């Protein structure tokens, strides 16, 4: 037992000298070091930038992790995505709180309820974490169990070696060796001491088995052949192009080399050095690869660092023009393409650089989304306004009040131009509805206008024919009051004439009537005046402004009556001043004639006034 302890202590001392391969005992430590390097390499090879993932994508990812059996990979992914998801959750919570406060709520009363993505993420995250913890707990429990098994096996080896009965001792030893190799890993804190004790006992067994020397030598020769084959396999790994595969295979070779029994002492150092040389060559290749990888990652860091600085100019970009936003979007997507061409980053810097770039990237697109959201709201409002204009146009489209409705529709068209754009999917539809309503009305008005123009042209011809008849009777002095009344009635029943001809035909008609009346035989001037006034009144009755014009005519006659009455009174007053002389009588006669004419004229005016009142 004392010798066994001494040998174990010496081997432990050798193990503490460093992490380089000095002897077979170091293979265990080297395995652990190699596993750590492989894990780092795994992270570099499989690193994914999750900063652009949405909450839904992250929840789906963690759901997939519940089916993953590689818990080292699970650990790496969980460390990456948990802070990202928490940041998204907190951002949405802050936005919900702000909306709650903006709507009049009190912050202390706010209660945040996550969406379905958060429920899925939290449930699956807990499930993955529980499975991971259970896995590693089972591993640790298995290691503790393996430690007990190996400690028991060491004790059985000691009992075997101390037993005076050497019968089948070698076969029993080989069986115990197989059991040892079949037992899995033990807690790291006990691995070195346990292996040193096992190795010391093995050497002691072979040293004490002199009676089985030939058998021992044969076994060592077989072990030598096996280790030489492992050396050859290790040397072939140098030519493997995928360094990760070479390291994984070398792990297996180390495990096999370590658990093979001893070789002849004279060959021990040589075979060990050969195996060590092959292993070191692969490690050197691995170290070179990692060194080049680190150099490449540093170069990538410089390139992506520059891009993360360039993208900052997009953070504060603002514009009210769609064209500007589209151009900036092209520019930032071009930066994204340049970013994606560049490879991975050093793990220590990756998170900060990625966050700087993608935060600016997301800020730009958030600002863009806010711009288009506001634009969409404005366009929705514009759509409501235009729908209201469409409704008004549809209500007016069947109107026959041409002038008023035409003015109203033209006003609606001006309002339409003042309203901004509407959502693209409704633009053609709402414009067509509005245009069709306007076109329908104006087409109806145009058709009506054409009909009116035709009717008015025919009316003009009819009125011109009546004027011609009146002029013909006047010239031939063949007219009569009945003919006049008949022609006046016919003229009155004729409708409107073209606007441009209204004054000319009216003037011609009035002149023709006056000439017709003046040409009538057997009528006094008083009768002709009365007939002329009747004609004027008949014409006024068909005038839309008849009341106004009759009133004006009435006021004019009243003024004339007042003037004539004043003249008569003045003249009668003047007669009293004339004496009885020959010259005075002559002047009096003149004044009496004037008074008589004025009195007749006054009678006519009063008759006209009476006729106007009756009209």
């Amino acid at each position: 037992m004392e010798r066994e302890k001494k040998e174990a202590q010496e081997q432990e001392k050798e193990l503490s000298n460093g992490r380089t391969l000095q002897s077979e005992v170091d293979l265990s430590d080297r395995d652990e070091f190699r596993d750590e390097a492989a894990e780092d390499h795994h992270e570099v090879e499989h690193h994914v930038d999750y900063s652009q993932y949405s909450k839904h994508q992250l929840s789906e990812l963690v759901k997939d992790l519940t089916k993953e059996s590689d818990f080292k990979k699970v650990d790496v992914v969980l460390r990456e995505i948990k802070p990202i998801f928490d940041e998204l959750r907190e951002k949405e919570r802050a936005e919900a709180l702000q909306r709650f406060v903006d709507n009049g709520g009190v912050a202390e009363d706010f209660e945040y309820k996550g969406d379905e993505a958060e429920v899925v993420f939290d449930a699956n995250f807990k499930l993955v974490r529980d499975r991971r913890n259970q896995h590693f707990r089972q591993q640790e429990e298995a290691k503790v169990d393996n430690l007990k098994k190996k400690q028991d096996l060491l004790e059985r080896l000691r009992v075997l070696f101390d037993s005076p009965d050497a019968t089948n001792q070698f076969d029993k030893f080989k069986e115990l060796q197989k059991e040892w190799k079949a037992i899995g890993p033990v807690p790291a804190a006990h691995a070195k001491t346990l292996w040193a004790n096992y190795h010391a006992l093995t050497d002691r067994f072979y040293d004490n088995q002199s009676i089985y020397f030939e058998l021992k030598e044969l076994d060592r020769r077989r072990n030598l052949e096996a280790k030489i084959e492992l050396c050859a396999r290790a040397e072939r790994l140098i030519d493997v192009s995928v360094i990760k595969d070479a390291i994984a295979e070398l792990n297996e070779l180390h495990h096999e080399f370590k658990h093979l029994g001893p070789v002849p002492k004279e060959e021990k150092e040589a075979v060990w050095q050969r195996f060590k040389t092959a292993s070191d060559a692969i490690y050197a290749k691995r170290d070179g690869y990692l060194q080049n990888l680190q150099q490449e990652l540093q170069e990538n860091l410089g390139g992506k660092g520059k891009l993360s600085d360039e993208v900052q100019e997009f953070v504060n970009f603002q514009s009210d023009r769609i064209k500007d936003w589209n151009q900036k979007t092209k520019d930032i997507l071009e930066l994204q393409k340049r970013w994606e061409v560049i490879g991975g980053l050093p793990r220590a810097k990756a998170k900060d650089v990625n966050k700087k770039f993608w935060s600016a990237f997301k800020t730009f697109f958030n600002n863009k989304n806010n711009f288009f959201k506001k634009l969409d709201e404005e366009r929705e409002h514009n759509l409501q306004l235009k729908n209201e204009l469409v409704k008004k146009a549809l209500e007016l489209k069947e109107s026959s009040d041409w002038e008023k409705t035409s003015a109203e529709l033209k006003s609606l068209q001006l309002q339409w131009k003042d309203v901004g754009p509407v959502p693209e999917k409704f633009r053609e539809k709402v414009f067509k509805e509005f245009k069709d309503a306007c076109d329908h009305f104006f087409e109806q008005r145009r058709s009506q206008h054409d009909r009116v123009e035709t009717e008015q042209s025919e009316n003009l011809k009819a009125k011109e024919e009546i004027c011609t008849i009146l002029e013909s009777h006047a010239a031939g002095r063949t007219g009569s009051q009945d003919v006049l009344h008949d022609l006046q009635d016919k003229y009155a029943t004729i409708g409107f004439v073209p606007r441009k001809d209204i004054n000319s035909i009216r003037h011609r008609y009035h002149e023709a009537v006056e000439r017709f009346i003046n040409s009538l035989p057997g009528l006094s001037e008083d009768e002709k005046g009365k007939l002329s006034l009747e004609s004027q009144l008949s014409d006024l009755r068909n005038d839309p402004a008849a009341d106004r014009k009759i009133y004006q005519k009435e006021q004019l006659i009243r003024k004339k009556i007042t003037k004539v009455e004043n003249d008569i009174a003045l003249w009668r007053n003047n007669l009293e001043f004339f004496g009885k002389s020959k010259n005075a009588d002559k002047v009096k006669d003149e004044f009496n004639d004037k008074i008589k004419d004025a009195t007749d004229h006054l009678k006519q005016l009063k008759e006209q006034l009476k006729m106007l009142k009756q009209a």
Side-chain angles (χ1 to χ4, degrees):
M1 287 292 290
E2 290 299 323
R3 178 184 175 187
E4 197 176 299
K5 290 181 180 179
K6 183 177 181 182
E7 288 176 349
Q9 290 171 355
E10 289 176 355
Q11 291 191 9
E12 286 189 66
K13 183 178 180 181
E14 289 178 4
L15 289 173
S16 66
N17 288 335
R19 296 185 68 91
T20 58
L21 286 175
Q22 300 295 333
S23 67
E24 294 180 34
V25 180
D26 289 331
L27 288 175
S28 177
D29 286 342
R30 195 66 173 183
D31 283 346
E32 293 175 8
F33 173 73
R34 189 169 59 252
D35 289 342
E36 292 172 3
E39 182 179 347
D40 290 343
H41 181 75
H42 174 79
E43 290 194 18
V44 171
E45 287 292 316
H46 295 87
H47 178 71
V48 178
D49 182 10
Y50 298 110
S51 62
Q52 290 301 295
Y53 276 40
S54 65
K55 284 172 57 180
H56 176 71
Q57 289 173 313
L58 292 172
S59 64
E60 289 298 314
L61 176 60
V62 79
K63 187 189 294 185
D64 292 339
L65 290 178
T66 60
K67 306 170 187 176
E68 180 62 60
S69 59
D70 185 352
F71 287 96
K72 289 184 179 179
K73 176 183 176 182
V74 169
D75 264 354
V76 171
V77 176
L78 288 181
R79 285 199 303 270
E80 287 282 338
I81 68 174
K82 185 63 165 66
I84 297 173
F85 191 90
D86 289 343
E87 183 178 348
L88 292 174
R89 189 206 307 262
E90 182 56 31
K91 180 180 178 182
E92 291 188 3
R93 181 189 178 282
E95 291 174 350
L97 173 59
Q98 187 60 47
R99 287 194 299 271
F100 180 76
V101 173
D102 291 343
N103 291 329
V106 180
E108 289 73 12
D109 297 336
F110 176 70
E111 181 179 354
Y112 178 67
K113 295 181 180 180
D115 55 18
E116 183 180 355
E118 294 182 21
V119 175
V120 172
F121 184 89
D122 291 339
N124 286 284
F125 182 85
K126 183 178 184 301
L127 178 61
V128 172
R129 185 181 58 194
D130 291 346
R131 288 186 64 237
R132 170 197 171 280
N133 292 340
Q134 182 181 6
H135 169 76
F136 287 115
R137 184 169 59 251
Q138 289 174 347
Q139 278 194 333
E140 290 303 315
E141 291 173 355
K143 287 181 180 180
V144 172
D145 187 51
N146 292 339
L147 174 62
K148 185 176 183 305
K149 289 179 180 179
K150 286 194 173 183
Q151 288 174 337
D152 291 343
L153 196 146
L154 287 177
E155 187 60 32
R156 287 163 61 192
L157 281 174
R158 293 189 186 98
V159 171
L160 179 65
F161 298 161
D162 293 338
S163 174
D165 183 8
T167 306
N168 298 325
Q169 193 177 49
F170 188 80
D171 292 335
K172 293 177 181 178
F173 170 68
K174 298 302 290 182
E175 288 297 325
L176 291 175
Q177 268 192 320
K178 288 181 181 180
E179 285 186 44
W180 179 273
K181 186 175 181 181
I183 298 173
V186 300
H190 301 278
K192 293 180 182 179
T193 302
L194 199 66
W195 173 254
N197 290 337
Y198 173 74
H199 201 269
L201 283 172
T202 303
D203 283 348
R204 174 186 166 193
F205 172 77
Y206 279 107
D207 290 342
N208 291 341
Q209 294 298 313
S210 57
I211 58 174
Y212 294 106
F213 178 76
E214 291 182 2
L215 188 59
K216 178 181 68 175
E217 286 301 313
L218 177 61
D219 187 58
R220 288 187 173 185
R221 284 290 171 187
R222 288 174 179 170
N223 293 342
L224 177 61
E225 291 174 0
K227 287 191 174 183
I228 289 174
E229 175 59 25
L230 293 179
C231 289
R233 287 170 61 186
E235 290 164 350
R236 288 196 293 271
L237 291 178
I238 297 174
D239 298 325
V240 174
S241 58
V242 182
I243 190 65
K244 185 174 67 172
D245 295 344
I247 292 295
E249 179 66 19
L250 187 62
N251 278 345
E252 299 299 325
L253 298 184
H254 279 196
H255 183 75
E256 292 184 38
F257 194 96
K258 183 172 71 173
H259 289 89
L260 282 172
V263 300
K265 289 184 178 181
E266 65 274 14
E267 301 289 347
K268 181 178 180 179
E269 185 62 23
V271 73
W272 164 245
Q273 288 299 326
R274 180 180 175 184
F275 188 72
K276 176 180 179 299
T277 299
S279 297
D280 288 344
I282 296 171
Y283 290 142
K285 185 177 179 181
R286 190 276 315 275
D287 293 341
Y289 167 78
L290 291 179
Q291 184 177 0
N292 292 335
L293 179 62
Q294 288 301 321
Q295 183 178 352
E296 180 183 335
L297 294 179
Q298 287 297 325
E299 292 174 358
N300 294 345
L301 177 61
K304 286 194 170 181
K306 183 178 179 182
L307 291 179
S308 64
D309 290 335
E310 288 184 31
V311 80
Q312 298 307 311
E313 69 173 271
F314 293 85
V315 171
N316 297 318
F317 174 77
Q318 292 293 339
S319 176
D320 57 358
R321 300 176 59 195
I322 297 176
K323 183 178 180 181
D324 293 343
W325 280 104
N326 290 339
Q327 182 58 50
K328 278 296 182 181
T329 300
K330 290 180 180 179
D331 294 342
I332 199 172
L333 291 178
E334 185 61 32
L335 278 183
Q336 183 188 20
K337 289 181 181 178
R338 290 164 56 191
W339 174 278
E340 291 172 349
V341 169
I342 301 174
L345 297 169
R347 188 167 54 169
K349 300 287 186 179
K351 185 175 181 180
D352 291 338
V353 176
N354 282 327
K355 183 176 182 181
K356 183 177 180 181
F357 180 86
W358 292 113
S359 293
F361 190 88
K362 287 197 286 188
T363 298
F364 170 80
F365 279 99
N366 284 337
N367 292 339
K368 179 183 176 182
N369 290 338
N370 290 335
F371 166 76
F372 279 99
K373 182 179 179 181
K374 181 180 178 182
L375 189 64
D376 289 341
E377 291 174 353
E378 291 176 355
R379 290 187 171 186
E380 286 293 338
H381 178 65
N382 293 340
L383 178 61
Q384 293 179 3
L385 295 178
K386 288 194 172 181
N387 280 330
E388 291 174 3
L389 295 177
V390 169
K391 183 179 179 182
K392 292 178 180 178
L394 290 172
E395 292 172 351
L396 294 173
K397 63 181 286 190
E398 300 295 345
S399 173
S400 59
D401 188 349
W402 308 114
E403 296 303 320
K404 179 182 177 183
T405 305
S406 177
E408 290 180 0
L409 282 177
K410 288 178 180 178
S411 175
L412 293 182
Q413 289 174 335
L414 292 176
Q415 294 176 50
W416 183 278
K417 291 180 180 179
D418 291 337
V419 177
V422 301
E424 189 64 25
K425 62 181 179 180
F426 298 110
R427 184 174 64 85
E428 292 294 336
K429 177 178 178 293
V430 71
F431 175 72
K432 185 176 185 303
E433 290 177 349
F434 183 74
K435 182 176 181 297
D436 288 348
C438 293
D439 288 350
H440 177 81
F441 169 80
F442 286 111
E443 184 60 34
Q444 293 290 99
R445 190 190 73 162
R446 193 176 299 110
S447 298
Q448 176 65 20
H449 181 70
D450 292 342
R451 290 194 299 271
V452 169
E453 281 191 343
T454 301
E455 291 177 3
Q456 289 180 350
S457 295
E458 293 175 353
N459 294 339
L460 178 62
K461 290 179 181 179
K463 287 186 176 183
E464 286 175 341
E465 289 176 1
I466 290 176
C467 288
T468 301
I469 294 172
L470 287 169
E471 290 165 351
S472 177
H473 280 296
R477 301 180 69 83
T478 57
S480 66
Q481 291 188 45
D482 291 338
V483 172
L484 176 63
H485 292 154
D486 182 56
L487 291 175
Q488 284 179 327
D489 290 342
K490 288 182 178 179
Y491 190 92
T493 59
I494 300 173
F496 295 108
V497 299
R499 185 183 297 273
K500 63 184 180 62
D501 298 306
I502 291 177
N503 291 330
S504 61
I505 192 63
R506 179 182 295 164
H507 180 71
R508 181 182 175 185
Y509 173 71
H510 288 162
E511 282 190 350
V513 168
E514 287 298 319
R515 287 203 301 269
F516 185 96
I517 292 173
N518 290 330
S519 70
L520 290 175
L523 292 180
S524 65
E525 293 299 322
D526 186 23
E527 290 174 330
K528 289 180 180 179
K530 184 179 178 181
L531 189 59
S532 177
L533 180 60
E534 288 176 352
S535 176
Q536 293 177 22
L537 289 176
S538 176
D539 191 35
L540 281 175
R541 290 190 187 97
N542 298 318
D543 194 316
D547 292 341
R548 180 176 58 81
K549 291 183 177 181
I550 290 175
Y551 175 77
Q552 291 175 347
K553 186 76 173 175
E554 181 181 346
Q555 295 304 310
L556 178 62
I557 292 174
R558 287 184 183 279
K559 287 182 181 179
K560 288 181 179 181
I561 290 174
T562 301
K563 182 177 183 305
V564 172
E565 287 177 339
N566 290 337
D567 288 343
I568 292 174
L570 177 64
W571 292 334
R572 284 177 177 172
N573 185 56
N574 288 339
L575 284 175
E576 295 179 1
F577 294 99
F578 293 106
K580 294 182 179 180
S581 65
K582 187 178 181 178
N583 291 333
D585 292 338
K586 185 178 180 179
V587 173
K588 285 181 179 180
D589 291 339
E590 291 177 359
F591 272 93
N592 285 326
D593 290 340
K594 286 184 179 180
I595 291 171
K596 182 178 181 299
D597 291 339
T599 301
D600 292 341
H601 184 51
L602 180 61
K603 183 180 178 182
Q604 292 177 6
L605 289 175
K606 288 183 177 181
E607 186 65 30
Q608 291 178 7
L609 182 61
K610 182 180 179 181
M611 293 173 64
L612 283 174
K613 288 180 177 180
Q614 291 175 350

